[in-house]
Amino acid sequence: MHIDSRERMFIIGSIVLLVVFASAIAVSAFATGIQVPTPYQRVDPRIVATPGSYPGLGFGDPLDERLRELSPGKYEVYILAQTWAFTPNEVRVPAGSTVTFYLTSKDVQHGFRLDGTNVSMMVLPGEVSKLTATFDTPGTYNFVCHEYCGVAHHTMYGKLVVEP
Ligand code: CUA
């Protein structure tokens, strides 16, 4: 079969591009630690904050029980987003902790971006978003809603305090 030399050039070029793109994805996933937030679980936004509605999920738990220590240095926290607040809006963990964030929305689409980390995800009603990060450096890490959610969108924020 005859393939024109220019056509062959484009075929080879396309394959090279595919390899370059696939490598870029592989490098960002495995070398730079980028995590793609995946929907962890589907829920009913009307009852997700009702205590006991979803055993294992802590969105209906009292505020002081939203942060759970699973084992020394390993935590998970359940943060509920709604117009225009995160509940809880302050979380404290000791330095060196690994924290898994679970978020869901009670109403409209929100976002969760934690400054100084690679934690950034959409927060949708009906879905639980999940991401994990390790905090070795003490300090205050602010988190903000970065999806426009109404007139007071800019007031929707909170902080993670990593204590020495
Ligand atoms: Cu919530 Cu913007």
Side-chain angles (χ1 to χ4, degrees):
M1 184 175 62
H2 173 73
I3 301 177
D4 184 82
S5 66
R6 274 171 293 187
E7 197 175 356
R8 181 180 295 118
M9 212 172 71
F10 275 98
I11 292 173
I12 293 172
S14 316
I15 293 171
V16 169
L17 266 186
L18 281 179
V19 172
V20 169
F21 289 155
S23 312
I25 292 172
V27 167
S28 53
F30 298 110
T32 69
I34 288 177
Q35 304 174 65
V36 180
T38 46
Y40 170 71
Q41 186 179 329
R42 295 204 178 275
V43 289
D44 183 339
R46 291 166 297 186
I47 59 163
V48 71
T50 307
S53 57
Y54 290 95
L57 293 180
F59 297 109
D61 289 358
L63 263 189
D64 57 349
E65 292 170 27
R66 296 291 186 91
L67 179 73
R68 301 175 179 169
E69 185 170 17
L70 304 175
S71 62
K74 282 201 90 174
Y75 293 86
E76 62 182 21
V77 62
Y78 292 86
I79 301 176
L80 185 70
Q82 64 190 105
T83 48
W84 291 281
F86 290 108
T87 316
N89 62 6
E90 186 175 328
V91 180
R92 289 175 174 271
V93 294
S97 301
T98 297
V99 184
T100 301
F101 298 88
Y102 292 88
L103 277 98
T104 193
S105 168
K106 243 177 112 169
D107 40 44
V108 299
Q109 172 179 323
H110 297 281
F112 183 78
R113 158 108 186 89
L114 188 59
D115 282 351
T117 70
N118 64 358
V119 175
S120 175
M121 54 190 173
M122 282 171 89
V123 182
L124 299 168
E127 242 175 45
V128 178
S129 307
K130 175 190 175 191
L131 269 184
T132 301
T134 299
F135 301 91
D136 292 324
T137 314
T140 299
Y141 299 76
N142 295 313
F143 53 81
V144 296
C145 175
H146 64 356
E147 298 276 351
Y148 183 72
C149 56
V151 289
H153 157 71
H154 60 286
T155 66
M156 194 170 167
Y157 59 89
K159 62 183 176 183
L160 171 81
V161 181
V162 178
E163 296 169 329

